[in-house]
Amino acid sequence: VTMDELELVGLPRRPVEKERKVSRRLANKEKEREACQKVLVEFIGYLNRSYGNIVRAWRLGLDADGDGRLTFQEFCNACKKVGFRGRQKTLWRALCAKGNSSIGLGELDPEAFQILEDFRTFLEENYRTLDDVFERVLDADRSGRCTQEEFLVACRDKLEWTGNARKLFGYLDISMRRDVTIDEMEFLGMRRRVLDRKSVKQQILERQAKDRAEADAMLGRFRSLLSQRYGNLVRAWRTLLDPTGEGKLQFTEFCARCRQVGFQGNLKALWISLDADDTGTVELRELDGDAVAHLEDFGSTLNVFFDDLDTAWSCCLDTDNSGKVTFEEFQSCCRILGYRRDPRALFRYLDVTAEGTLLITEMEALGLPRAKNRELALQLARMRGHEARSEFEVFLTTKYHTSIVYPWRREFCSQVPPEDHLDHSISAEEFCRKCRAVGHSGNLLVLWFEYVCPRAASTPHSLAGGVGSTGGVFPAALDPGSPMMRPALSSVSVASCESTSPMQHRSSTMDHRGSLKRQMTSRRRSSLDAYMPDRMEGLGRMSLERIAPELYQDLVLFRDTCRAKFHTTENTWKALLHECLKTDMGDKLRKVEFSRASRMIGFKGNAEGVFDACDFGYVRYVLMEDLRWLRIDDHF
C-alpha cells in the first residue's frame, strides 16, 4: 500500500512546507506591524514632548519648505533635524500604510488635520478672505493679535463654531505665547486679500528701470557731443578720453575728461550706462562696439597673410612708397583682402588727425607687431608672384625630399580622411595657417593669388595698384562687380561716422596708439573665429588642382583610365600586378614597376608623378590601399 491509500484510515498527515511558510510569513507580518506601531508611538510621543503638539512639530520642524507634503528623503532629513534617532524606514512604512510616495499632516495626526480642515471649510463658507475673518471677528481691538480668551469667545459667540476651539488654538499658536497673528493663521490655507499697492521689489525694479533710461539718455547725449566735436567716437577716445594709451578709464579720470570736453550731464548715470559689466573701468568697446568690431576684423584680416605691420604696409597699403595711404589705396587693400565691412568708416576710425591720409604709426592701433628688420620686410613685400611660388615649392620639396603632393596631403589635408585628399580644398585663412605651421614665412598674400589668380600676382604691386585710379591688374575673383563681392558692406552708426573736422597737430595724437593696440591684440582671435570663415570664402579656395595642376590632370587621367578599363580599385591593382608578373594582392610595386605597368595598361600621362602622389607614407613603394584616394570605385 501507499501513503495516499492509507489516508482512508483517517489519520492526520504531517504539516507540509507550504503551510509552514504561510504561518511564518504571517508571523513576520505581525512582528513588523508591532514594530511599526511601536516606533510610531515613540515618534508621536517624542514630537509631543518636544513641541507640545503634532501640528506645531509639523510646522516648525518637519515641513521646512511649507508645501504640505514630505517625501522619504525630506522625511529622513526632518527626523535628523528634530533629533529623532529611531528606525526611520520602519517609521516610514508605518506612516505610508497605503504605499504613498509622500506623507502629510493627516498621516501624523488625523484628528488635528480634520479639525483644521473643518474650521477652514467653515470660514470659507462665510467669509471671502482670511483678512476679513481676522479683522471683523478675531482682532476686535486692532492690535494685530488675538489672545486665547478672545479666540475662544469669538468661536463660541461670533462664529458659532461647534468644534474644539481650545485644541484649534493650540494648533495655530506655534509661538506658544497664547496669542495668534494673521500670519500664523495662514496655515489654514485660506486666501489672503490682494492689495493694489506695489511691493518693495516692484518699486526697486521700477526705480532701476528709470535709472537705466536716464543713463541711456546721458550716453546718447555724450556720444552725440563727441561725434560733433571729433567726427567719430574712436577719434574722440584716442585724442581726448585716453590720450596716454592705457586702454581703460577709471571713474575719476572719466569725469575729468568729460569736464574737459564740456559735457554737462549726469556723470554718474553716464558711467553706469557705460560700465554695464560693473568692472570699475570703461573701454572703447563699451563706447562704440561697432567701431571696435571694424578695427578687430581688419586687424585679423591682415594677420591672416602677414606676420608684421611693416610687410602689410608695404605690400598692399603704401604701394607707391610715399609713407602715406590715401583712401583710394586703403579701399583697394580692403577689396583685395576680402574685407566686407565699410572701408570708409574704418578709414575714419584709423585717421586720427582727420587729414585724409594714414601713417603706419596710426595703423599700430590694429595690434600687429612691427617688423624687427624693416629692410627684410620691405624686400618680402616687393616679392613677385612667381618668386613667392618658387620659394614656397622649393621650401616644401627641400623639407620633405619629394614632390609637392606629399606635403599637400600630409600637412594641408591632415584634417580629412585620405580618400578626400584629391579634391579637398581649403580657405585662405587655413592655407596661411598651414604654411606657418610647416615653417614657411614668405609673402602669403602674393603666394595665394599666384595660385588662385596668377594674372593678379604676375607683376609687383599689381594687387594693390589695380584697384586705384591707375588701372593696374585686378583679380577677377575680387572685382567689386563680381558675384563674390556683391554682399553689401556693413552699415555703421551715424554717431560714429557722421562727420569729420580738422584736428590739432599730428604729433600730439600719436602717443595714444598703444590703447587700441592692446585691445585689438587681446580680442583678435575671438573676432577671427567668428568673422573669418564667411569673409575668406570670397577669396576662393586652394586645392591640389591649383597647387600642382599638371600632376592633378595626370591623376585624373589615371583614375579615368582605370575606371574605363577596370571599374574598381581591386581590378586595377590586379592588372598592374599582372603586368609585373605578380599575383598576390598584398604585393608591393616600386616606382619602376608601377611606371612600366601603368604604361602597359594604357596610361599616357606621368606615371612617376602618379606614383609619388600615391606614396603617401614616402616608403618608395605602393600597395593597393594607396590607390583608394583616387576613388576609382566612384562611378559618376
Side-chain angles (χ1 to χ4, degrees), residues 108-127:
L108 284 174
D109 193 345
E111 179 186 1
F113 179 77
Q114 191 61 44
I115 291 176
L116 292 170
E117 281 294 307
D118 292 343
F119 188 66
R120 179 185 64 82
T121 304
F122 176 81
L123 294 180
E124 287 180 346
E125 292 175 354
N126 296 276
Y127 298 92

Side-chain angles (χ1 to χ4, degrees), residues 31-40 72 75-76 84 86-97:
K31 184 177 179 181
E32 182 180 0
R33 189 187 65 80
E34 293 177 356
C36 291
Q37 187 64 27
K38 179 180 179 181
V39 72
L40 180 60
F72 177 70
F75 178 73
C76 294
F84 181 71
R87 300 172 61 183
Q88 297 176 2
K89 289 186 178 181
T90 304
L91 178 59
W92 178 261
R93 287 195 298 269
L95 293 173
C96 291

Side-chain angles (χ1 to χ4, degrees), residues 442-455:
N443 191 327
L444 299 182
L445 179 65
V446 175
L447 177 63
W448 174 264
F449 284 113
E450 174 63 22
Y451 280 120
V452 176
C453 187
R455 180 170 171 263

